[in-house]
Amino acid sequence: MSTPHGPTLRELAVQALSSTMRGYDLLAPKFDLTPYRTPDRVLDAVARAVRPLGPFDSGLDVCCGTGAGAGVLRGLCRRRVTGVDFSAGMLAVARAAHADGGGGPAVDWVRADARALPFGPVFDLALSLGAFGHFLPRERPGLFAQVHASLRPGGSFVFPVGAPPEAGSRAYWAMLGFDGAMRVRNALWRPRFIMYYRTFPLAGVVDDLVAAGFGVRLLPLEELGRRADGSPRPRLVVATRARRRDRKADRPTATGAYDTSRTMESQDEREPP
């Protein structure tokens, strides 16, 4: 589950029996030593796919965790980058990781609930990596509406979505088993830890993005490969807020200062899907 210097089995068990927020606070110091961190090759592929869509002045990393996505945004944005997360522990690690300045603009770190973002329409680009399993399907419309409201007209919300594993494959059964175990855990134990792998189907995601006012494109991340049937292994979802002169969103083509953490206290009491 992790490198030799990553969390121990006991530490992972304690995290798994905690609330979602507390679990990530506990995991934060060793998070980047686990397989849960988005791999560098995915970060690089996303950055290369997004760069031609620019230029971008300001970027928002939604559910930024330890700041991997903020690092991508620093290479894409010219003036401002903001990372937002509900975990104080993850934000502390992210802040330390980017403390030396490095390349690109400085980063503002904001503790807030992604379902109640404390921003006006000030960002040109929003990015999220690996966080959507922490939101129940019925929460997606509100989440997407919050991101939409944080983007300037013409701004884009981008994130990669992997193709579902082939039915009957090892990955298929692993995801099915994990989600089943989490449903049992959340039915029997409080506080809940919200994390599911099979609750973010691309078709439903696109429907919710369009309903939130986005126009949607799907871009293949070619360097990450294709499946045996020729379809891309991952796609980059590019959801763009319509400019004021646009009449409506399109269906897809295949081509810190604030603290709203109190709104998140109810997250761990949400009913599982």
Side-chain angles (χ1 to χ4, degrees):
M1 292 294 292
S2 62
T3 70
H5 300 290
T8 65
L9 184 60
R10 181 183 181 279
E11 288 172 329
L12 289 172
V14 171
Q15 181 238 352
L17 293 175
S18 303
S19 69
T20 316
M21 187 191 303
R22 177 60 177 160
Y24 275 102
D25 285 344
L26 293 171
L27 185 60
K30 297 183 179 180
F31 179 83
D32 286 343
L33 301 175
T34 74
Y36 307 127
R37 181 189 184 275
T38 303
D40 287 342
R41 65 191 185 96
V42 176
L43 299 176
D44 293 342
V46 169
R48 278 190 281 269
V50 174
R51 184 167 286 109
L53 306 178
F56 309 104
D57 284 335
S58 57
L60 175 65
D61 185 0
V62 181
C63 305
C64 64
T66 57
V72 172
L73 291 173
R74 293 182 76 187
L76 295 171
C77 299
R78 298 179 294 192
R79 296 182 182 175
R80 175 189 181 193
V81 171
T82 300
V84 60
D85 202 278
F86 73 163
S87 166
M90 297 290 268
L91 286 171
V93 173
R95 188 177 291 109
H98 291 269
D100 61 353
V107 185
D108 296 317
W109 303 103
V110 177
R111 188 174 183 221
D113 188 339
R115 298 169 298 164
L117 293 173
F119 310 115
V122 296
F123 297 101
D124 302 303
L125 178 64
L127 167 71
S128 193
L129 298 167
F132 294 118
H134 299 300
F135 297 93
L136 301 178
R138 63 177 174 271
E139 295 176 308
R140 283 200 310 261
L143 171 65
F144 293 162
Q146 288 291 304
V147 177
H148 185 275
S150 301
L151 289 169
R152 295 188 178 103
S156 292
F157 180 30
V158 300
F159 51 87
V161 175
E166 183 179 352
S169 67
R170 181 178 298 179
Y172 173 87
W173 290 114
M175 288 186 179
L176 190 68
F178 180 91
D179 282 10
M182 290 303 295
R183 288 190 176 91
V184 172
R185 179 255 187 248
N186 287 331
L188 299 177
W189 191 266
R190 294 293 186 277
R192 294 187 176 97
F193 190 98
I194 303 299
M195 175 63 205
Y196 299 99
Y197 281 110
R198 302 175 70 250
T199 56
F200 201 69
L202 184 58
V205 167
V206 167
D207 287 343
D208 289 342
L209 287 167
V210 170
F214 288 105
V216 182
R217 289 182 290 164
L218 306 177
L219 306 180
L221 294 174
E222 294 288 2
E223 58 202 271
L224 299 180
R226 288 183 173 264
R227 306 199 318 167
D229 63 4
S231 62
R233 290 190 182 277
R235 291 179 171 89
L236 184 72
V237 176
V238 180
T240 301
R241 176 171 176 170
R243 298 182 185 277
R244 290 188 177 91
R245 66 177 180 272
D246 294 341
R247 293 185 177 181
K248 62 181 180 179
D250 298 322
R251 294 289 301 177
T253 60
T255 46
Y258 302 95
D259 187 340
T260 63
S261 57
R262 283 185 295 177
T263 66
M264 295 175 285
E265 293 303 323
S266 62
Q267 178 185 29
D268 304 312
E269 296 309 315
R270 291 174 288 167
E271 293 297 328

